[in-house]
Amino acid sequence: DQPTAMNAFELISLSKGLNLENLFDI
Amino acid sequence: MGCFVSRSRRKFPAQEKTVTLAAETAFTVSEVEALYELFRSISSSVIDDGLINKEEFQLAIFKNKKKENIFATRIFDLFDVKKKGVIDFEDFVRSLNVFHPNVSLEDKIAFSFRLYDLRNTGFIERAEVKEMLIALLYESDMKLADDVIETILNKTFSEADLNEDGKIDLEEWTNFVAKNPSLLKIMTLPYLRDITTSFPSFIFNSNVDEVAA
C-alpha cells in the first residue's frame, strides 16, 4: 500500500520500535 | 564475593513466584521459566543486575543502544509497571502476557490504546497521533509533506473519532480496530507459543520440582 492509502495507525504500526519480535532474536 | 553475587542473580525466581505468574497469565510454569532465560539475557546485556533498563530494552529491539525511539520508549514505560525506571521479571512476564496469542482481544485493545495515549490522558489525541506519525517517518526515512500528513490525520479521525471531539476514547478505539483488525497484529507474538523450544536451557535451571505442562 502507498503510505497515503493507509490510516495513521497502520503507518505507525510499521515502526520497528513496536515490533517486539526482535526481543526474541538474541 | 563478586562471583557469589553474580551467580545468585542468575538463579531462577522462587518456585512460588513462578507458579503464581503461571497461574495469573497465559503462560505455563515451564514457559515462565523459559521467559526467565530470555529476561536474563536481556537484563545482563549492559548491566548484570537482574533488571532491564531502557538502554538494554532498546538494545534488544534495535540491536543498537544509541537509537532513541518514542515507540520503544513508550513500550518500555508500559512494561515498567511499578514505575521504577526498570523492568523486573514480574513486569516482564505480565506485560508480555498481553502479547500471548491466547489472551483476550479486549486486553490487547486496552493495551494498544494505552500505547498510543502517549500522555496518559485517557484519550488518543490528534497531536499525539501526529507526533507518532512524524516519528515513524523519521525512523523509516519516509518523507511526506505536512499537508499529506494532515490529510491522513483527517481521514483517520473522520473514521475513528465518532463523536468528533478531536480525540479518540477507548470505545471509539474499540470500534476502530474492529473495522481495522490489522492494527492489532503488533499485539500478538506467535513466538510466545514456542518459548520453551526457543530457550530449552530452562530445564537445567528449573526451581520447580515437577515442570508443569
Side-chain angles (χ1 to χ4, degrees):
Chain A
D1 281 352
Q2 288 297 312
T4 47
M6 300 167 92
N7 71 51
F9 295 101
E10 284 171 326
L11 277 167
I12 289 166
S13 64
L14 297 176
S15 170
K16 283 182 193 161
L18 294 177
N19 185 354
L20 293 190
E21 278 181 17
N22 288 337
L23 284 179
F24 304 94
D25 180 24
I26 58 171
Chain B
M1 190 63 141
C3 285
F4 174 77
V5 172
S6 176
R7 214 176 294 163
S8 70
R9 279 177 186 152
R10 287 182 178 280
K11 268 191 173 175
F12 266 40
Q15 179 173 342
E16 314 84 73
K17 181 66 128 187
T18 311
V19 171
T20 302
L21 282 171
E24 294 175 1
T25 63
F27 300 113
T28 64
V29 169
S30 299
E31 287 167 341
V32 171
E33 292 191 328
L35 280 176
Y36 190 70
E37 297 288 314
L38 171 64
F39 177 83
R40 200 176 70 181
S41 170
I42 298 172
S43 67
S44 62
S45 61
V46 179
I47 306 168
D48 191 3
D49 59 355
L51 298 164
I52 298 176
N53 63 34
K54 200 165 125 187
E55 193 180 0
E56 288 167 330
F57 193 73
Q58 297 220 154
L59 181 60
I61 290 183
F62 293 108
K63 316 301 168 207
N64 176 355
K65 60 186 171 188
K66 286 183 183 161
K67 191 165 183 177
E68 186 76 28
N69 179 285
I70 67 164
F71 304 108
T73 297
R74 185 65 187 143
I75 291 202
F76 179 86
D77 289 342
L78 293 178
F79 273 46
D80 175 16
V81 178
K82 303 179 190 78
K83 302 300 168 206
K84 294 187 296 186
V86 286
I87 300 168
D88 64 26
F89 182 58
E90 183 180 348
D91 293 339
F92 187 69
V93 174
R94 291 188 189 281
S95 300
L96 273 183
N97 180 53
V98 181
F99 294 81
H100 194 287
N102 293 353
V103 164
S104 73
L105 212 53
E106 192 184 355
D107 286 353
K108 291 176 188 290
I109 291 170
F111 191 98
S112 63
F113 181 79
R114 290 173 62 215
L115 181 63
Y116 297 134
D117 174 16
L118 291 182
R119 293 185 248 291
N120 305 309
T121 57
F123 300 96
I124 302 173
E125 295 171 30
R126 186 177 169 117
E128 292 170 324
V129 183
K130 184 165 185 177
E131 186 181 338
M132 291 186 279
L133 262 183
I134 290 170
L136 179 273
L137 295 173
Y138 177 77
E139 177 192 319
S140 56
D141 288 329
M142 209 189 296
K143 287 186 175 45
L144 289 180
D146 192 62
D147 62 325
V148 177
I149 294 174
E150 289 295 331
T151 303
I152 292 169
L153 286 168
N154 287 340
K155 184 172 167 280
T156 303
F157 273 75
S158 69
E159 197 185 332
D161 178 20
L162 299 177
N163 65 4
E164 300 179 359
D165 63 352
K167 52 196 183 182
I168 300 166
D169 61 32
L170 179 58
E171 193 182 339
E172 289 169 332
W173 178 247
T174 304
N175 286 327
F176 188 63
V177 295
K179 285 183 267 175
N180 299 275
S182 66
L183 294 181
L184 287 183
K185 201 173 166 221
I186 58 164
M187 289 306 307
T188 295
L189 296 169
Y191 222 111
L192 290 172
R193 272 198 211 283
D194 303 317
I195 197 78
T196 53
T197 46
S198 302
F199 299 95
S201 56
F202 81 91
I203 291 168
F204 304 112
N205 299 319
S206 179
N207 264 349
V208 178
D209 300 332
E210 284 185 43
V211 176

